Amino acid sequence: MKPLTHWAIHHQQKLRIAGRSATEIWGALAGPDGAVQPFRYAQTTLRLTIGEDDSRRVLQLDDYGFECPIDDDETTAL
């Protein structure tokens, strides 16, 4: 969860955790402007998915919460 926490701090987002399992954390991100977006975070792959359906963004985080490039082949498999 540490990378997710660091990412949230860097992006001025508040984490509102709704639940967690052994592999995932989910809930909502609240921005400084009051905008709220759902998120899912895969702890094993360090993947953060923000939003739902067509507005969904997938971010690959490193161990320090910084965003890394994702291979196109990997995103199509999601």
Side-chain angles (χ1 to χ4, degrees), residues 2 14 17 27 30-31 34 37-39 45 47 51 54 62 64 71 76 78:
K2 192 173 185 178
K14 291 183 182 178
I17 297 174
Q37 299 179 65
F39 79 90
T45 60
R47 285 259 164 105
D54 293 338
D62 67 10
Y64 302 101
D71 293 337
T76 55
L78 299 175

Side-chain angles (χ1 to χ4, degrees), residues 4 6 8 10 16 21-24 26 28-29 32 39-41 44 46-47 49 51 53 63 68 76 78:
L4 174 61
H6 284 293
H10 295 305
R16 295 182 181 163
S21 68
T23 58
E24 276 193 320
W26 60 90
L29 295 169
F39 79 90
R40 290 191 85 80
Y41 176 66
T44 54
L46 306 181
R47 285 259 164 105
T49 304
D53 302 325
D63 291 335
C68 302
T76 55
L78 299 175

